[in-house]
Amino acid sequence: EVQLQASGGGLVQPGGSLRLSCAASGFKFDEYAIGWFRQAPGKGREGVSCISSLGGSWYYANSVKGRFTISRDNAKNTVYLQMNSLKPEDTGVYYCAKPRSQAGSYYYGCVNGMDEWGKGTLVTVSS
């Protein structure tokens, strides 16, 4: 059974930092792209950042470029999202996801959505 568990969310002041983790199991982790998505209150889900299976390529939404960094540790079956200089508009539930197939592109998946999702973690940026 595929499992994707996001953690690390919380309440942080504007300008602060958080690191999210996505722990995966139930599939051959190093063969799949993984993505981070978020859903703000009253809005649709958007792709924040996605990374290729071996970690050599990545995508960032324009709204987070220069502030967020995605990485993965295939030995630990975990993907991270380091979020710095957080803004109130970064508030939302953050999910990690994977495509159904090993051939699924990190870029296409980030722009168009992925197929298998974990439960999210809430990030609240507020003073």
Side-chain angles (χ1 to χ4, degrees), residues 1-5 22-27 29 77 96 98 116-118:
E1 177 189 3
V2 170
Q3 292 195 347
L4 296 161
Q5 181 62 58
C22 172
S25 62
F27 61 100
F29 184 75
N77 284 14
C96 54
K98 63 177 281 295
E116 295 180 288
W117 299 81

Side-chain angles (χ1 to χ4, degrees), residues 19-123:
R19 189 175 83 153
L20 305 184
S21 298
C22 172
S25 62
F27 61 100
K28 191 74 167 64
F29 184 75
D30 60 2
E31 293 184 358
Y32 287 82
I34 300 290
W36 283 101
F37 297 77
R38 69 186 178 192
Q39 187 163 19
K43 296 189 176 181
R45 195 175 292 181
E46 65 165 334
V48 174
S49 182
C50 299
I51 190 166
S52 61
S53 59
L54 298 182
S57 300
W58 45 86
Y59 166 95
Y60 294 99
N62 287 336
S63 57
V64 307
K65 279 180 182 175
R67 301 187 297 122
F68 290 11
T69 303
I70 192 170
S71 62
R72 65 190 295 161
D73 184 341
N74 284 349
K76 295 183 177 179
N77 284 14
T78 302
V79 172
Y80 305 98
L81 186 68
Q82 178 67 43
M83 306 187 296
N84 298 330
S85 302
L86 282 161
K87 304 175 180 180
E89 51 264 43
D90 294 317
T91 293
V93 179
Y94 284 69
Y95 302 86
C96 54
K98 63 177 281 295
R100 183 175 297 111
S101 161
Q102 293 98 318
S105 158
Y106 72 95
Y107 186 91
Y108 181 89
C110 235
V111 174
N112 295 287
M114 292 190 176
D115 304 299
E116 295 180 288
W117 299 81
K119 294 183 180 179
T121 186
L122 177 63
V123 172

